[in-house]
Amino acid sequence: MIQLLFGDRKAWPDYEAPLTRALSASGLGVAVGTEAAPETVDYIVTSPDGWITDFAPYCRAKAVFNLWAGVEEITGNSTLTQPLVRMVEPGLREGMVEWVTGHVLRHHLGLDRYIKRTVPHWDYAAPPLARNRTVGILGLGELGAASAQALAGLGFHVIGWSRTKKDISGVETHGGPTGLDAVLGASDIVVLLLPATPSTENTLDAPAFSRMRKGVVVLNPGRGTLIDDDALLGALETGQVAHATLDVFREEPLPPAHPFWAHPHVTITPHVASATRPGTASEAIAENIRRGESGQAFLGLVDRGAGY
């Protein structure tokens, strides 16, 4: 019998039924629960909110599955020497695509001028066609690539950037420092979907904002550390950035006194762009256990050197 230890007691009530079903359907013979002797554990499910902080006793474990897509809060744990797997599941991908396309369309169509209208005013202004609007995606991993392709499918001119250049059908891609400048300088709307690593912190700082088109819109459903908050506020004040829609922050919940709350050109959503869904996440966990038992590579295996 394969032993799976679920190391997040707070999340367990939501996962117990769907994970039990998914493991049963796999036919692998997996026992799962929130307690097990460390020496009997084959796989671990955890999260930064989980109770396991010392992974050293789990010497038999073949992998640790993170419930979140982001792993920056766990990669620094020196006791975690087992293979670490970030969550890759359809619910995360679909949720992010829906958030990104929804907010891109909001700004592309200029919906705020109608939604926020307080007096009768026939404000006729036809938006450009999507093909005449350039959307830049910074980060072309699982979520970034899916969002880029969805926007391209709607007709937008989509350009993307990643540390190393990738090939994505229908998307103009760039890599490296010069590629980042090219994407920043050409985009009407910029979407941040990079991982949080030391090299990505403050990707959008004052010099980066100055290289962008006047009146650019910034969407950040990625990580709060990708943006220098003070630099963004400065760019908003000068009109260099017309609007920022932010889903993630350096401190969460965002403190009530933070200037983002009161800024007329900032939209805040409470880290809801993409959430792990217990049903589809359970299926992803079961699939990765199947892969581990058959000697296949895990889906979402973290590169410790890169940090994601």
Side-chain angles (χ1 to χ4, degrees):
M1 179 67 70
I2 300 165
Q3 181 66 55
L4 172 63
L5 177 63
F6 198 92
D8 188 336
R9 292 192 181 99
K10 185 171 66 175
W12 176 241
D14 293 328
Y15 276 85
E16 182 176 8
L19 186 54
T20 300
R21 285 195 300 270
L23 294 172
S24 177
S26 73
L28 292 171
V30 182
V32 59
T34 58
E35 295 182 7
E39 66 274 10
T40 69
V41 172
D42 297 292
Y43 298 93
I44 298 171
V45 172
T46 191
S47 75
D49 289 343
W51 57 270
I52 303 175
T53 57
D54 183 2
F55 293 87
Y58 301 94
C59 54
R60 171 171 143 174
K62 301 172 186 176
V64 173
F65 303 132
N66 194 40
L67 280 179
W68 302 1
V71 294
E72 66 272 9
E73 295 185 42
I74 195 172
T75 50
N77 187 325
S78 62
T79 71
L80 204 170
T81 58
Q82 301 89 340
L84 176 62
V85 180
R86 60 185 172 83
M87 179 56 68
V88 176
E89 59 100 356
L92 274 171
R93 182 175 61 251
E94 292 168 26
M96 183 61 76
V97 167
E98 290 170 12
W99 190 95
V100 169
T101 54
H103 285 280
V104 166
L105 284 168
R106 166 198 169 191
H107 293 293
H108 167 65
L109 296 172
L111 296 181
D112 285 9
R113 77 161 56 91
Y114 310 117
I115 294 170
K116 296 181 178 181
R117 183 175 53 223
T118 56
V119 296
H121 178 51
W122 192 262
D123 182 15
Y124 180 83
L129 294 173
R131 67 188 182 197
N132 299 127
R133 184 88 75 183
T134 298
V135 181
I137 308 285
L138 305 187
L140 296 174
E142 173 83 8
L143 303 182
S147 298
Q149 288 185 306
L151 291 168
L154 290 172
F156 288 99
H157 175 220
V158 182
I159 55 178
W161 178 82
S162 53
R163 186 167 53 89
T164 56
K165 189 176 182 298
K166 297 184 178 180
D167 293 323
I168 300 174
S169 177
V171 179
E172 177 188 327
T173 58
H174 299 262
T178 57
L180 177 59
D181 286 345
V183 172
L184 291 179
S187 300
D188 302 301
I189 300 172
V190 172
V191 183
L192 287 139
L193 281 168
L194 293 162
T197 68
S199 64
T200 63
E201 184 166 4
N202 293 332
T203 294
L204 294 192
D205 56 11
F209 285 123
S210 71
R211 296 194 294 274
M212 299 166 82
R213 289 182 174 180
K214 180 84 170 177
V216 68
V217 170
V218 173
L219 310 181
N220 187 14
R223 289 290 180 265
T225 55
L226 301 177
I227 295 179
D228 180 326
D229 289 2
D230 290 336
L232 174 57
L233 288 166
L236 286 163
E237 291 306 311
T238 64
Q240 180 67 13
V241 174
H243 198 99
T245 295
L246 310 173
D247 185 63
V248 288
F249 308 89
R250 290 175 181 270
E251 182 180 351
E252 295 183 2
L254 186 66
H258 197 289
F260 283 159
W261 283 112
H263 202 289
H265 300 300
V266 173
T267 298
I268 293 168
T269 61
H271 205 140
V272 294
S274 187
T276 306
R277 270 68 175 183
T280 47
S282 294
E283 293 170 1
I285 292 168
E287 169 60 15
N288 261 331
I289 292 176
R290 185 198 67 77
R291 296 176 75 88
E293 292 301 296
S294 62
Q296 294 177 274
F298 296 112
L299 299 175
L301 183 64
V302 172
D303 180 340
R304 301 295 180 89
Y308 59 91

